[in-house]
Amino acid sequence: MSKTIAFEIIQKYEPIEEVRKAHQMSLEGFTRYMNSRECLLFKNECRKVYQDMSHPLSDYFISSSHNTYLVSDQLLGPSDLWGYVSALVKGCRCLEIDCWDGAQNEPVVYHGYTLTSKLLFKTVIQAIQKYAFMTSDYPVVLSLENHCSTAQQEVMADNLQATFGESLLSDMLDDFPDTLPSPEALKFKILVKNKKIGTLKETRERKGSDKRGKVEEWEEEVADLEEEEEEEEDKFKESEVFESVLGDNQDKETGVKKLPGVMLFKKKKTRKLKIALALSDLVIYTKAEKFKSFQHSRLYQQFNENNSIGETQARKLSKLRVALNFQTPGLPMDLQNGKFLDNGGSGYILKPQFLRESKSYFNPSNIKEGMPITLTIRLISGIQLPLTHSSSNKGDSLVIIEVFGVPNDQMKQQTRVIKKNAFSPRWNETFTFIIHVPELALIRFVVESQGLIAGNEFLGQYTLPLLCMNKGYRRVPLFSRMGESLEPASLFVYVWYVR
């Protein structure tokens, strides 16, 4: 810490004038500083939108959710508007809406072929409209998993236009006729991701022609995006889960599960879907196309087309997860939340240069270029760590520091266990990490209580991007599994990194 910064901190937080004039700090002053935002590990600069937001959408990592309407399990749990509200408040910018035909010509949202409850489509988008830009000004993508008939798709199109009005992007931007717009150009806009009939140019020409009165009658038969082979594998795994829960009481001819008062059908393979032109015309820069291969996409994919890849296939192609169930706590959501703390929590993070270049030779499994960062973390102490369900206020505490990034950077190190002191444990242990691709690295602090029989018990965690870490003496706040602040529980560390 420089002398200038130290002087400013003393002047700001030291309450005793004599001590302040002597350029020193009392215990009270130090405590005030420790509890301030300035002492936090996370950089203040990263709390605001500081990145260049004028690149095309494809140049950004976008915070995305899967089955956003669910708030518990994916088979029997309720669908709830809170799923969308919660995701938006957390900065999520891509929401999934599973749409099915409902009664009285009203489309509904739920996890198809399961016992999850149903929401009206119009109620879902009304909730989205209310909270869409509460956390971030940048565009929200509605990813429609569309299983509706053309008649109810037309209802969906009417609902979208009536609910979002001018916020709904329903035509190309004049400055972006053949390239993807930027997040900046799409501020406060809602984009619809769905299958589309024809090209953007054909859509604009048709809208401007004399055929307006016939538009609602047009439709086209296309392959249903959700029914890719990879997704089918995941879906039938869910059916297997039902079988293990409900037993083998099945009608051999119909394939229907039979329980008292319950009938559960196995998943169907719907291979074709008709798209209503009214809904198709609302798809502009986010046209859904089936993924075939990276080579095929490089050769043929248009600027406004994007792919949804089933997780089974995605795991074969990449180590990264791109759309998560926000209602499911755990490591994946910790990493998601930590990653998108950056850039003001806007839900858009500019990719490193080596991921934005069309002819990039970057290989995460074989890093040959660049200067690695040497990260040093001295884990000094903790304060008021959360109590476990099984212990008194004298828990046996330990801390695990993990690095997530490219394969060569993955590492974790652990402190010794401090016995019977969860209130103010002191470790004073130093750990060193060599990080080859700091632009993609996340650092995660996990606090556990040692358990000899049932294993260690999770107490709290904090995850953030390496390049958003302040140097020097810093406080690390802790969060629960559900992402709730555990203040005043925290760790005290000294951080230094050099290239």
Side-chain angles (χ1 to χ4, degrees):
M1 183 182 296
S2 71
K3 290 183 179 180
T4 301
I5 295 175
F7 176 78
E8 291 175 353
I9 288 173
I10 290 171
Q11 295 302 307
K12 187 172 182 178
Y13 295 102
E14 176 53 52
I16 304 173
E17 186 176 356
E18 293 80 6
V19 177
R20 194 166 59 243
K21 287 180 177 179
H23 304 300
Q24 296 176 349
M25 190 172 261
S26 65
L27 179 60
E28 174 64 23
F30 182 70
T31 301
R32 289 186 180 190
Y33 168 63
M34 282 288 295
N35 289 324
S36 71
R37 175 175 284 192
E38 288 185 67
C39 190
L40 288 173
L41 183 60
F42 191 73
K43 286 182 178 178
N44 270 331
E45 308 91 271
C46 297
R47 295 181 184 278
K48 59 185 178 183
V49 176
Y50 67 93
Q51 297 178 346
D52 184 352
M53 303 302 283
S54 63
H55 290 262
L57 285 176
S58 56
D59 281 0
Y60 296 84
F61 293 115
I62 303 175
S63 179
S64 304
S65 59
H66 178 245
N67 290 347
T68 320
Y69 46 89
L70 297 178
V71 291
S72 57
D73 70 86
Q74 300 187 79
L75 302 177
L76 301 169
S79 302
D80 199 295
L81 296 177
W82 176 247
Y84 291 99
V85 173
S86 176
L88 287 167
V89 168
K90 292 176 182 177
C92 184
R93 298 286 87 190
C94 183
L95 310 172
E96 184 179 57
I97 309 179
D98 286 14
C99 309
W100 300 81
D101 280 356
Q104 298 180 327
N105 205 33
E106 286 285 357
V108 294
V109 175
Y110 81 111
H111 200 202
Y113 306 114
T114 70
L115 300 180
T116 57
S117 60
K118 299 175 182 179
L119 301 169
L120 290 178
F121 176 79
K122 64 181 180 183
T123 306
V124 167
I125 62 173
Q126 285 167 0
I128 293 172
Q129 189 275 332
K130 184 175 180 179
Y131 290 91
F133 304 107
M134 180 171 288
T135 298
S136 171
D137 298 344
Y138 294 101
V140 173
V141 178
L142 306 183
S143 180
L144 304 184
E145 188 177 301
N146 183 5
H147 304 272
C148 290
S149 62
T150 53
Q152 295 210 16
Q153 287 180 47
E154 290 177 357
V155 174
M156 288 166 58
D158 289 341
N159 288 339
L160 288 165
Q161 291 173 312
T163 301
F164 296 114
E166 293 297 317
S167 296
L168 184 67
L169 188 73
S170 55
D171 196 4
M172 291 182 289
L173 300 181
D174 291 338
D175 293 337
F176 300 93
D178 51 14
T179 58
L180 275 179
S182 65
E184 189 67 29
L186 291 169
K187 265 188 172 182
F188 303 108
K189 287 294 184 183
I190 303 291
L191 282 66
V192 175
K193 175 178 173 284
N194 191 66
K195 282 286 189 177
K196 181 175 180 62
I197 301 169
T199 65
L200 284 175
K201 183 179 178 181
E202 290 169 345
T203 298
R204 176 169 274 192
E205 290 175 349
R206 184 173 60 251
K207 284 183 175 181
S209 71
D210 295 328
K211 299 179 181 179
R212 278 185 188 271
K214 300 180 181 179
V215 165
E216 290 81 7
E217 301 173 5
W218 295 9
E219 58 186 38
E220 183 174 303
E221 194 170 79
V222 294
D224 185 349
L225 193 73
E226 174 63 11
E227 303 300 333
E228 296 176 9
E229 292 180 4
E230 298 78 29
E231 296 293 349
E232 286 296 333
E233 293 178 16
D234 291 338
K235 288 180 176 179
F236 281 106
K237 285 178 184 175
E238 292 174 2
S239 290
E240 291 167 8
V241 171
F242 270 127
E243 290 171 11
S244 66
V245 173
L246 302 180
D248 293 323
N249 186 16
Q250 175 177 321
D251 187 305
K252 300 296 184 182
E253 294 184 5
T254 64
V256 176
K257 292 287 182 183
K258 293 190 290 185
L259 285 177
V262 176
M263 294 182 68
L264 179 64
F265 288 84
K266 283 204 168 193
K267 299 270 185 176
K268 297 179 181 179
K269 290 186 178 181
T270 305
R271 302 307 301 175
K272 296 291 181 180
L273 176 71
K274 291 185 177 181
I275 303 297
L277 202 61
L279 184 59
S280 170
D281 283 351
L282 299 181
V283 179
I284 308 301
Y285 295 115
T286 44
K287 177 183 179 181
E289 280 292 326
K290 182 177 179 180
F291 177 78
K292 296 180 180 178
S293 68
F294 288 127
Q295 183 180 9
H296 182 275
S297 295
R298 282 182 179 273
L299 291 174
Y300 302 109
Q301 190 153 313
Q302 300 300 306
F303 76 94
N304 66 319
E305 297 176 344
N306 56 79
N307 310 124
S308 290
I309 305 175
E311 188 161 343
T312 302
Q313 184 178 12
R315 286 182 179 275
K316 298 175 184 177
L317 300 171
S318 171
K319 296 294 183 182
L320 299 175
R321 300 186 69 177
V322 293
L324 297 176
N325 296 79
F326 269 51
Q327 80 279 7
T328 307
L331 174 61
M333 274 310 302
D334 291 345
L335 299 180
Q336 162 88 9
N337 291 336
K339 175 74 174 177
F340 286 98
L341 283 175
D342 198 4
N343 204 32
S346 64
Y348 286 84
I349 295 176
L350 186 64
K351 296 175 184 176
Q353 182 66 38
F354 56 78
L355 293 181
R356 304 200 306 263
E357 297 170 346
S358 59
K359 295 183 178 180
S360 173
Y361 294 100
F362 173 75
N363 183 347
S365 299
N366 185 18
I367 305 299
K368 296 180 179 179
E369 301 178 0
M371 292 288 290
I373 275 182
T374 300
L375 170 66
T376 301
I377 299 177
R378 181 152 66 98
L379 201 297
I380 300 170
S381 62
I383 185 170
Q384 297 187 48
L385 301 182
L387 300 179
T388 67
H389 297 294
S390 57
S391 70
S392 63
N393 60 352
K394 295 184 177 181
D396 298 338
S397 308
L398 62 99
V399 178
I400 301 168
I401 303 176
E402 302 173 288
V403 179
F404 292 88
V406 299
N408 284 349
D409 290 343
Q410 303 272 106
M411 183 187 294
K412 67 179 178 180
Q413 299 188 48
Q414 178 180 315
T415 67
R416 70 186 188 281
V417 178
I418 302 298
K419 295 287 187 179
K420 299 181 180 180
N421 184 3
F423 184 78
S424 58
R426 287 181 288 179
W427 290 278
N428 272 319
E429 295 184 50
T430 301
F431 304 96
T432 300
F433 304 87
I434 306 299
I435 300 177
H436 299 84
V437 188
E439 296 87 348
L440 298 179
L442 297 173
I443 311 299
R444 184 173 186 250
F445 297 83
V446 183
V447 184
E448 295 181 348
S449 178
Q450 186 183 49
L452 299 178
I453 298 177
N456 292 353
E457 189 170 350
F458 174 91
L459 298 182
Q461 70 85 34
Y462 184 65
T463 306
L464 78 168
L466 167 63
L467 297 183
C468 287
M469 290 174 65
N470 274 313
K471 296 179 181 179
Y473 291 99
R474 299 292 168 180
R475 182 168 62 91
V476 181
L478 295 176
F479 292 83
S480 71
R481 285 194 183 278
M482 300 303 296
E484 300 162 334
S485 173
L486 296 173
E487 289 281 6
S490 56
L491 303 173
F492 187 44
V493 300
Y494 178 82
V495 173
W496 193 257
Y497 50 90
V498 292
R499 234 180 181 132

